[in-house]
Amino acid sequence: MGIIVQKFGGTSVADVNKIHNVAKAVIKEKDNGNDVIVVVSAMGHTTDYLIKLAKEVTQKPDSRELDMLLSTGEQVSIALLTMAIQSYGYKALSMNGQQVGIITECIHSKARIVDIKTDKLKKHLNEGNIIVVAGFQGVTPDGEITTLGRGGSDTSAVAIAAAIKADRCDIYTDVEGVYATDPRIVPNVLKADTISYEEMLELARVGANVLHPRSVETAKQFNVPIRVRSSFNLDNLGTLIIGVENMEIYKPVAGIAADSSQIRILISNLPDIPGTAAQVFGALANKNISVDMIIQSLASNGTNSIAFTVDENDFDYSVQIVNDIKNKLNAGEISIDKNIAKVSIVGAGMVDRPGIAADMFKALAENDINIKMISTSEIKISCLVEKENANKAIKALCKTFGLESNVEAVVKGDLPNL
Ligand code: ADP
Ligand code: ASP
Ligand code: MG
């Protein structure tokens, strides 16, 4: 007998019927003799709807109040799922982030978890309860409600699994596992039976939204095995994410993803003196804005241009900051490019294989796709392209790196009646 943490995403709890089927999947795990903690997201597109509602009230909703609003979505689904489980005669109770003690820093809309209290969780498990916890939310030491960022319920689940020392964390979603790319873009894409934390982390960071990046970071840090599997086909074990995959890596590229939520900002005519970049990026860091790709180039007149990308949610603040810097340093024009997507290939097997980058650029060129920026790391190469070319690029790269299969992925279906 062990402890299993199960997480069900929004599509898995989108209506009453699906909630009942999730209840049966939870009970099945309990009947296997395990203690079960379930983490759920808000029903269907509830979070999107709440954000839309807030923006109808005001274009710039206050981030504290937005967290207050968004955290209600998960509270609806935990109560309904708990009622469903109880209706089958099982002991269950729901808990929100505050009741569990999911303690976070006080950064609204993207708070990081700093601690999870396990005393109440253990007490309720010992009393034979199935516990249903609200994902995506936490509380600061001062009692302020926070959220972890979009898709953050995955992180809630893995962090709870780490804190309670669970045997496994099963992430149930609307696809049958982790594929080499989003199966909605390339239906005949290869599925992975296993994938390493490193590769999954990088894939999640560059836009494979099947897992919240911080969930993989936490799993890697605390050695929590994760299974990504389908709520609609419980017999399929999906993909196991673990520490070490094969001793030798045969495929240089494990996965491909695109991120079209970035914006490129270019500042021209910056003084070419020590400390300029430190001022630009220091000011952004002070406002908690993460910068992704950066290019600095020297112009013939002895000045520098710096181009970088930020998340679209940080756009307004970034532009304000960059304008201040422009005035302070007497820099030139600022230009903004919103029509971009970052396409990345990821694979532990690309280390020491210089031909991979060339193959990527060639595949893009053959498809008439212009590259606006490039960045590389040991296991990743990213190219910035025009938004409308992102899917075309992914399809071409899947072909180039042998990531197609002859089986079509099942993306959505109805939950089976157990
Ligand atoms: P949930 O609501 O269950 O959290 P998400 O929508 O966050 O579900 O994540 C599942 C979706 O992730 C899938 O429907 C799929 O379209 C997308 N996805 C993107 N990249 C991948 C990938 N490499 N493997 C599997 N799914 C992916
Ligand atoms: N409900 C939140 C969202 O839609 C969290 C999650 O689904 O993981 O982003
Ligand atoms: Mg998700």
Side-chain angles (χ1 to χ4, degrees), residues 7 151 154 209-210:
K7 180 258 169 177
D154 298 333
N209 64 349
V210 62

Side-chain angles (χ1 to χ4, degrees), residues 7 9-11 172-175 177-179 181-184 208-210:
K7 180 258 169 177
T11 29
Y172 288 85
T173 183
D174 61 354
V175 286
V178 177
Y179 292 81
T181 195
D182 190 336
R184 286 174 206 269
N209 64 349
V210 62

Side-chain angles (χ1 to χ4, degrees), residues 215-367:
S215 68
V216 191
E217 229 169 74
T218 308
K220 183 176 171 216
Q221 192 181 348
F222 295 95
N223 237 329
V224 180
I226 304 181
R227 257 191 197 289
V228 175
R229 53 197 298 185
S230 168
S231 321
F232 306 104
N233 177 4
L234 301 177
D235 294 330
N236 191 329
L237 288 181
T239 301
L240 181 65
I241 305 164
I242 40 166
V244 184
E245 215 192 337
N246 299 324
M247 301 268 297
E248 285 281 351
I249 297 161
Y250 299 102
K251 268 204 182 309
V253 177
I256 303 170
D259 177 359
S260 48
S261 68
Q262 296 201 356
I263 284 169
R264 183 172 70 155
I265 300 176
L266 177 113
I267 323 172
S268 57
N269 287 325
L270 280 158
D272 184 29
I273 51 168
T276 301
Q279 283 202 53
V280 175
F281 297 111
L284 291 161
N286 282 342
K287 289 279 175 207
N288 239 310
I289 295 171
S290 298
V291 171
D292 187 14
M293 298 171 105
I294 301 176
I295 287 185
Q296 176 175 301
S297 51
L298 190 63
S300 51
N301 64 357
T303 63
N304 274 323
S305 288
I306 294 184
F308 59 91
T309 60
V310 292
D311 191 276
E312 61 191 0
N313 291 324
D314 292 326
F315 175 64
D316 290 342
Y317 263 141
S318 305
V319 170
Q320 254 174 43
I321 293 168
V322 163
N323 269 317
D324 289 348
I325 300 249
K326 173 189 156 167
N327 295 336
K328 205 160 138 196
L329 299 180
N330 205 12
E333 282 311 298
I334 291 172
S335 62
I336 311 286
D337 189 355
K338 293 187 175 183
N339 181 26
I340 55 164
K342 185 180 71 172
V343 176
S344 308
I345 58 172
V346 171
M350 67 172 76
V351 180
D352 294 333
R353 295 199 210 184
I356 302 300
D359 288 346
M360 179 179 190
F361 305 150
K362 185 164 167 248
L364 297 180
E366 281 171 356
N367 284 275

Side-chain angles (χ1 to χ4, degrees), residues 40-312:
V40 276
S41 299
M43 292 171 73
H45 299 289
T46 302
T47 311
D48 291 335
Y49 167 72
L50 293 173
I51 293 174
K52 189 170 156 273
L53 205 58
K55 291 209 164 152
E56 278 174 22
V57 173
T58 162
Q59 252 318 299
K60 279 194 181 167
D62 178 74
S63 58
R64 178 186 185 274
E65 300 313 319
L66 201 55
D67 275 357
M68 187 68 91
L69 178 70
L70 298 193
S71 64
T72 61
E74 271 68 13
Q75 256 175 251
V76 172
S77 47
I78 55 171
L80 292 175
L81 178 58
T82 304
M83 292 173 197
I85 297 170
Q86 289 168 342
S87 74
Y88 296 100
Y90 284 73
K91 277 183 80 177
L93 91 166
S94 62
M95 296 178 85
N96 65 20
Q98 188 159 20
Q99 288 171 314
V100 172
I102 299 177
I103 312 298
T104 72
E105 10 159 73
C106 190
I107 298 176
H108 288 291
S109 84
K110 48 182 169 187
R112 283 183 167 262
I113 297 174
V114 291
D115 189 24
I116 294 187
K117 311 284 181 211
T118 55
D119 45 338
K120 288 196 194 116
L121 290 175
K122 283 181 183 155
K123 176 179 164 281
H124 293 309
L125 286 180
N126 287 339
E127 289 167 0
N129 286 292
I130 292 167
I131 307 174
V132 184
V133 179
F136 180 53
Q137 58 178 261
V139 64
T140 68
D142 292 340
E144 289 294 309
I145 291 173
T146 52
T147 62
L148 311 182
R150 296 304 308 270
S153 297
D154 298 333
T155 298
S156 311
V158 175
I160 290 173
I164 198 100
K165 299 194 172 45
D167 295 79
R168 211 178 59 235
C169 182
D170 284 344
I171 307 275
Y172 288 85
T173 183
D174 61 354
V175 286
E176 303 212 332
V178 177
Y179 292 81
T181 195
D182 190 336
R184 286 174 206 269
I185 300 170
V186 184
N188 61 330
V189 61
L190 279 179
K191 193 186 104 192
D193 291 330
T194 59
I195 185 166
S196 65
Y197 290 130
E198 284 76 12
E199 286 176 320
M200 190 64 237
L201 180 55
E202 207 61 65
L203 262 178
R205 279 184 181 149
V206 295
N209 64 349
V210 62
L211 282 177
H212 194 235
R214 276 157 41 205
S215 68
V216 191
E217 229 169 74
T218 308
K220 183 176 171 216
Q221 192 181 348
F222 295 95
N223 237 329
V224 180
I226 304 181
R227 257 191 197 289
V228 175
R229 53 197 298 185
S230 168
S231 321
F232 306 104
N233 177 4
L234 301 177
D235 294 330
N236 191 329
L237 288 181
T239 301
L240 181 65
I241 305 164
I242 40 166
V244 184
E245 215 192 337
N246 299 324
M247 301 268 297
E248 285 281 351
I249 297 161
Y250 299 102
K251 268 204 182 309
V253 177
I256 303 170
D259 177 359
S260 48
S261 68
Q262 296 201 356
I263 284 169
R264 183 172 70 155
I265 300 176
L266 177 113
I267 323 172
S268 57
N269 287 325
L270 280 158
D272 184 29
I273 51 168
T276 301
Q279 283 202 53
V280 175
F281 297 111
L284 291 161
N286 282 342
K287 289 279 175 207
N288 239 310
I289 295 171
S290 298
V291 171
D292 187 14
M293 298 171 105
I294 301 176
I295 287 185
Q296 176 175 301
S297 51
L298 190 63
S300 51
N301 64 357
T303 63
N304 274 323
S305 288
I306 294 184
F308 59 91
T309 60
V310 292
D311 191 276
E312 61 191 0

